[in-house]
Amino acid sequence: MKLLLFGGTFDPPHLGHIHNLEAAIRAVNPDLVVVMPAGIPPHKAAAHTSGEIRLEMCRCFRECFPNLVVSRWELDQEGKSYSIHTLEHLAQEYPKAEIYMAVGSDMLLTFTQWHRWKEILQRATLVCTSRQAGDDPQLIQAARALEGEGGKVILAPASALEVSSTQIRQGKAKPELLPPLVQELVEKYHLYQENFS
Ligand code: ATP
């Protein structure tokens, strides 16, 4: 069975994430999708919003695929969330699964800085969606380099939707770039108040 993992801080989830996940689903045709909000992301100081609220917001991804679970596994672990630990956990939980990992182009381009990245390549096929118009040549180059290290990389065809959670938190992106459930929860919990209207 094919398992597609989509991890991130998701503070908050936005339409760029949905766009990424849908492109990866089309490219992989998985049996199961696991969305995994990070506890303490390794490459960021900290998430601004509690894990419980980010977990609740991630329910918006359910509209993307019928067999999709939002996992609290990383949130329940001590310390930083490293993808290799999550992959080891998923391999134990789903021993027969062939694992795919959806990432945006920023993640593919910085992949060799990830903790134990060569082991990640042995455990998962990367499925990358562009975040920035015109970044295809860079992505192809990064994919070839990782393939040279024994990795498998699929570039999921999709035009870039240029939005980030940072822009949303800073009030620099339209609230319409949030899925309706996330818009509701942002209002309910008064998130990103100082910048959000
Ligand atoms: P922040 O602005 O807080 O750094 P972010 O918008 O980059 O957040 P993350 O939660 O860090 O979002 O991203 C989770 C995953 O989704 C990463 O693999 C990232 O590359 C990918 N991603 C984020 N935004 C987009 C987008 N607009 N298009 C495609 N992929 C995206």
Side-chain angles (χ1 to χ4, degrees), residues 125-142:
T125 299
L126 304 182
V127 188
C128 178
T129 305
S130 166
R131 284 188 73 160
Q132 212 183 351
D135 63 4
D136 281 1
Q138 273 176 292
L139 297 184
I140 292 168
Q141 198 183 9

Side-chain angles (χ1 to χ4, degrees), residues 6-21 36-38 41 43-44 46-48 54 61 101-108 114 127-132 159-169:
F6 188 38
T9 316
F10 303 126
D11 186 17
H14 50 67
L15 293 191
H17 293 129
I18 301 251
H19 184 68
N20 180 319
L21 182 55
M36 185 76 74
H43 57 296
K44 294 182 186 174
H48 299 69
R54 289 183 293 115
F61 292 117
M101 197 163 76
V103 293
S105 38
D106 53 324
M107 295 292 147
L108 191 75
W114 290 26
V127 188
C128 178
T129 305
S130 166
R131 284 188 73 160
Q132 212 183 351
S159 52
L161 184 59
E162 294 183 22
V163 56
S164 70
S165 298
T166 303
Q167 288 169 347
I168 304 269
R169 289 195 304 275

Side-chain angles (χ1 to χ4, degrees), residues 76-87:
D76 289 341
Q77 305 308 301
E78 302 267 316
K80 291 193 171 184
S81 298
Y82 289 112
S83 297
I84 187 64
H85 298 154
T86 305
L87 291 170

Side-chain angles (χ1 to χ4, degrees), residues 67 75 131 149 162 197:
N67 193 16
L75 295 176
R131 284 188 73 160
E149 298 284 348
E162 294 183 22
S197 52

